[in-house]
């Protein structure tokens, strides 16, 4: 089997139970088939003399990591990646910031990653680069003579060209993207936005539904919806640890509905709108009733950036307002937890909650929606309320789909979920389980790698196989 080389901004720490779903799934795949995972180790050092890469072995895979300097962290990570690309790809031009230093830092770190990675590659490696931090890495590797198949996957949305062109340097960025053999997207509309950009702004043409020709260069663009390992998540939700969590969360003898939200504390996740919708739900019941308790886990992220500090303050103020207005001596309506919680605890909370509230304003996929479904008790499942602007909404049709900007619609969906019959909940859940099994983590990875292996243009440009395996089964 050919060696798989994964490159991402951060490499998961196998000793951390708090890693997200995707990190866990990539690590599992690498452990099984062996391979190399390269990226930042999360450490920040004073200057470049301290950034030598280090390797650790984890089962059959090697994790090769290096720190960033303070300047890299500021310019590449916080700056261009998270103050320019992240907001623009989430349709938030109002929050996008740009400096020449940040763009320069982004180029510098990508070039350094290529410098460090190139001597560690074999000719037969399959290389898979992840996400917006590393868009130019493929071109940087090509410039160093790497002729292997290199694939790229966008975990975040790809905006329409009219929004994308607000990115300074967008032509350079998009041209460097064309050096990958395969570019993967979460949804058909992300893929369509990209293809439209290439055709309208870079003079490319579609030669088949998944293949673009740009000045004689063939690039494949496919749709590969990310998923989770359904069985292992479901097992975790039934574990003794999860059961203990459920017992501690539910107030014995009380018929109370729990609503769960789990998100990184990011403005794309729609948390203030969600809190307002919860407030509207409470207002729709007679005074004194205690119809539902919202548990919101908002794990800290990028908290050095002003936009993230602002949203944290907004949430603190809103939760204080809601608890002050509706709370009672024996009831806190909104339990807002700004901390990272262990994964098995999350699984237990999902299972204990009648409603999973997943209402991002824009999201590439959203794995929390899938985890919530997997964690339910099939004989008495909860209801998923899902934003139409999450990539997951393309597939999860049996969720209650909402417009997260419309707080009354979200409040109404919560009321509908509270009142929904068990029969309807079971039917919806059964259908949703089928869907998350069909597009699970393994399917995502194997269909992407199958499509990547079929890209042979570097080795045999004249014999390019333009097969259409770019779309996930
Ligand atoms: C990006 C895209 C796309 C969250 N809080 C805690 C915790 N989590 C875990 C969740 C889930 C993961 O983190 C979050 O995944 P999402 O998909 O919801 O969102 P992003 O982090 O924004 O991920 C997104 C994803 O990439 C994959 O392609 O779906 O659209 O933005 O697994 O459970 N895990 C633990 N404690 C927490 O407090 N243990």
């Amino acid at each position: 089997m050919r060696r798989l080389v994964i490159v991402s901004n951060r490499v998961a720490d196998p000793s951390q139970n708090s890693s997200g779903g995707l990190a866990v799934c990539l690590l599992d795949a690498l452990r099984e088939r062996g391979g190399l995972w390269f990226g930042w180790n999360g450490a920040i050092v004073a200057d470049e003399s301290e950034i030598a890469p280090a390797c650790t072995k984890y089962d059959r895979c090697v994790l090769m990591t290096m720190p960033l300097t303070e300047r890299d962290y500021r310019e590449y990570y916080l700056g261009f990646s998270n103050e320019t690309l992240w907001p623009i790809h989430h349709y938030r031009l109002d929050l996008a910031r740009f400096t020449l230093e940040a763009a320069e830092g982004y180029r510098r770190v990508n070039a350094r990653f290529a410098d460090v990675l190139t001597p560690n590659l074999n000719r037969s490696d399959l290389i898979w680069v992840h996400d917006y931090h590393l868009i130019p890495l493929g071109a940087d590797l090509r410039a160093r003579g790497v002729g292997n198949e290199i694939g790229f996957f966008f975990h975040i949305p790809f905006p329409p060209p009219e929004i994308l062109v607000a990115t300074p340097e967008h032509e350079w960025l998009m041209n460097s993207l064309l050096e990958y053999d395969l570019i993967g997207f979460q949804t058909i509309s992300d893929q369509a936005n990209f293809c439209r950009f290439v055709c309208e702004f870079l003079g490319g043409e579609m030669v088949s539904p998944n293949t673009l020709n740009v000045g004689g260069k063939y690039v494949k663009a496919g749709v590969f919806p990310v998923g989770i390992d359904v069985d292992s998540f479901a097992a975790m939700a039934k574990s003794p640890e999860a059961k203990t969590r459920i017992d501690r969360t539910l107030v014995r003898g009380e018929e109370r509905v729990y609503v769960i939200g789990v998100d990184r504390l990011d403005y794309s996740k729609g948390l203030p709108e969600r809190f307002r919708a919860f407030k509207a739900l409470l207002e729709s019941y007679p005074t004194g009733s205690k119809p539902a308790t919202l548990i919101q886990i908002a794990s800290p992220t990028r908290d050095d950036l002003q936009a993230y500090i602002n949203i944290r303050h907004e949430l603190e103020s809103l939760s204080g307002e809601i608890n002050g207005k509706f709370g009672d001596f024996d009831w806190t309506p909104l339990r807002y937890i700004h901390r990272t919680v262990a994964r098995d605890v999350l699984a237990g909370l999902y299972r204990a909650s009648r409603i999973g509230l997943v209402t991002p304003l824009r999201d590439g996929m959203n794995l929390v929606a899938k985890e919530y479904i997997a964690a339910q008790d099939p004989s008495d499942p909860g209801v998923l309320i899902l934003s139409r602007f999450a990539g997951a909404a393309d597939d999860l049709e049996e969720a209650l789909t909402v417009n997260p900007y419309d707080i009354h619609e979200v409040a109404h969906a919560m009321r509908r979920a509270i009142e929904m019959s068990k029969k309807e909940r079971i039917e919806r859940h059964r259908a949703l389980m089928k869907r998350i099994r069909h597009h699970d983590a393994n399917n995502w990875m194997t269909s992407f790698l199958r499509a990547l292996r079929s890209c042979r243009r570097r080795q045999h440009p004249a014999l390019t196989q333009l097969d259409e395996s770019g779309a996930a089964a």
Side-chain angles (χ1 to χ4, degrees):
M1 196 187 292
R2 295 172 64 184
R3 185 172 77 149
L4 174 61
V5 175
I6 288 180
V7 192
S8 61
N9 169 58
R10 274 299 293 274
V11 173
D13 178 349
S15 64
Q16 290 289 321
N17 164 19
S18 60
S19 300
L22 189 73
V24 171
C25 124
L26 287 174
L27 200 58
D28 283 350
L30 277 175
R31 268 168 64 188
E32 251 174 50
R33 59 178 285 160
L36 176 71
W37 189 349
F38 173 60
W40 178 31
N41 61 7
I44 300 168
V45 294
D47 63 64
E48 292 200 16
S49 62
E50 301 168 69
I51 55 173
C55 288
T56 45
K57 206 144 167 41
Y58 184 62
D59 285 352
R60 298 180 56 213
C61 70
V62 174
L63 307 179
M64 184 165 76
T65 58
M66 57 198 288
L68 294 177
T69 66
E70 280 164 15
R71 188 166 156 228
D72 297 335
Y73 177 70
R74 212 173 44 244
E75 297 175 353
Y76 148 82
Y77 179 73
L78 292 178
F80 198 76
S81 297
N82 287 315
E83 276 198 310
T84 305
L85 294 178
W86 176 271
I88 290 175
H89 278 255
H90 288 85
Y91 298 55
R92 291 297 301 267
L93 295 185
D94 58 319
L95 295 177
R97 304 272 175 277
F98 173 74
T99 65
L100 288 174
E101 292 75 29
E104 192 41 48
Y106 184 78
R107 285 177 193 262
R108 182 179 64 244
V109 172
N110 272 272
R112 188 189 304 139
F113 270 29
D115 282 337
V116 174
L117 184 59
T118 304
N120 288 284
L121 293 173
N122 301 323
R123 281 186 66 115
S124 61
D125 287 342
L126 273 179
I127 305 168
W128 189 3
V129 180
H130 289 261
D131 229 0
Y132 62 104
H133 316 83
L134 300 175
I135 293 173
L137 184 67
D140 286 334
L141 290 171
R142 297 284 182 230
R144 286 156 183 76
V146 176
N148 306 40
E149 293 99 324
I150 315 181
F152 181 87
F153 187 78
F154 268 111
H155 290 264
I156 62 173
F158 196 94
E162 293 73 16
I163 290 181
L164 190 76
V165 292
T167 317
E169 316 259 0
H170 63 269
E171 274 193 34
W172 163 71
L173 269 175
M174 292 300 116
N175 272 307
S176 61
L177 204 47
L178 300 177
E179 290 299 322
Y180 291 102
D181 297 289
L182 171 66
I183 304 159
F185 299 90
Q186 301 272 25
T187 67
I188 291 173
S189 57
D190 294 323
Q191 181 204 35
N193 286 337
F194 170 73
C195 292
R196 193 154 74 78
F197 183 88
V198 172
C199 293
E200 291 178 15
F201 290 79
L202 301 179
E205 57 167 343
M206 302 291 305
V207 293
S208 77
N210 287 314
T211 314
L212 289 148
N213 175 2
V214 195
K217 202 188 277 178
Y218 290 92
V219 181
K220 286 169 86 171
V223 179
F224 306 90
V226 144
I228 62 164
D229 180 341
V230 177
D231 289 328
S232 77
F233 205 86
M236 205 189 310
K238 282 189 282 188
S239 66
E241 294 78 13
K243 277 214 175 75
T244 311
R245 172 58 47 181
I246 296 171
D247 290 344
R248 282 175 52 191
T249 305
L250 301 175
V251 180
R252 281 193 185 284
E254 271 198 51
E255 267 294 305
R256 186 161 294 162
V257 168
Y258 288 88
V259 182
I260 181 83
V262 175
D263 308 78
R264 287 183 304 99
L265 206 173
D266 193 293
Y267 49 78
S268 64
K269 303 294 183 182
L271 296 177
E273 293 77 4
R274 188 181 304 173
F275 283 13
R276 289 193 188 97
F278 182 65
K279 184 174 169 216
L281 174 80
L282 299 182
E283 280 165 352
S284 75
Y285 280 85
T287 313
S289 40
K290 298 164 185 172
T293 301
L294 171 59
I295 301 173
Q296 177 64 54
I297 314 281
S299 43
T301 183
R302 304 170 201 165
D303 36 15
D304 293 338
L305 290 179
Q306 194 56 45
Y308 290 76
I309 295 169
N310 293 348
I311 194 156
R312 180 157 55 81
H313 289 160
E314 190 178 358
L315 293 179
E316 284 162 359
S317 153
L318 272 169
S319 59
E321 182 193 330
I322 292 169
N323 285 331
K325 180 166 179 196
F326 298 95
D328 211 335
F329 296 109
D330 62 348
W331 182 48
T332 307
L334 200 168
R335 299 194 205 162
Y336 164 60
I337 296 154
H338 179 48
R339 252 197 331 269
T340 299
V341 169
R343 211 162 154 67
D344 50 3
V345 172
L346 277 190
L349 288 173
Y350 288 140
R351 195 171 173 98
S353 302
R354 167 65 77 83
I355 299 175
L357 201 48
V358 179
T359 54
L361 303 178
R362 191 65 59 178
D363 217 330
M365 175 57 58
N366 197 295
L367 293 177
V368 169
K370 300 190 176 192
E371 291 167 358
Y372 178 75
I373 296 164
Q376 296 309 298
D377 172 356
S379 65
D380 189 11
V383 179
L384 174 65
I385 296 179
L386 180 60
S387 161
R388 61 186 298 171
F389 302 122
D394 274 19
D395 187 32
L396 302 181
E397 287 175 21
E398 291 77 13
L400 297 184
T401 308
V402 292
N403 170 3
Y405 292 95
D406 184 343
I407 58 170
H408 296 291
E409 188 187 330
V410 178
H412 178 73
M414 279 190 264
R415 196 149 182 164
R416 198 175 150 205
I418 292 170
E419 289 161 9
M420 191 180 283
S421 70
K422 196 193 241 191
K423 181 169 171 287
E424 183 175 350
R425 283 189 278 123
I426 290 174
E427 279 166 12
R428 286 176 182 270
H429 178 255
R430 195 177 294 142
L432 288 168
M433 276 300 272
K434 261 196 199 150
R435 293 182 185 277
I436 60 169
R437 278 192 193 290
H438 184 60
H439 283 136
D440 70 356
N442 188 48
N443 183 297
W444 170 67
M445 182 165 301
T446 51
S447 58
F448 186 92
L449 292 177
R450 193 184 319 122
L452 181 58
R453 273 194 305 269
S454 77
C455 297
R456 302 202 190 99
R457 72 190 167 94
R458 299 277 157 198
Q459 287 80 0
H460 309 287
L463 301 174
T464 305
Q465 279 281 324
L466 300 180
D467 72 90
E468 288 314 316
S469 53

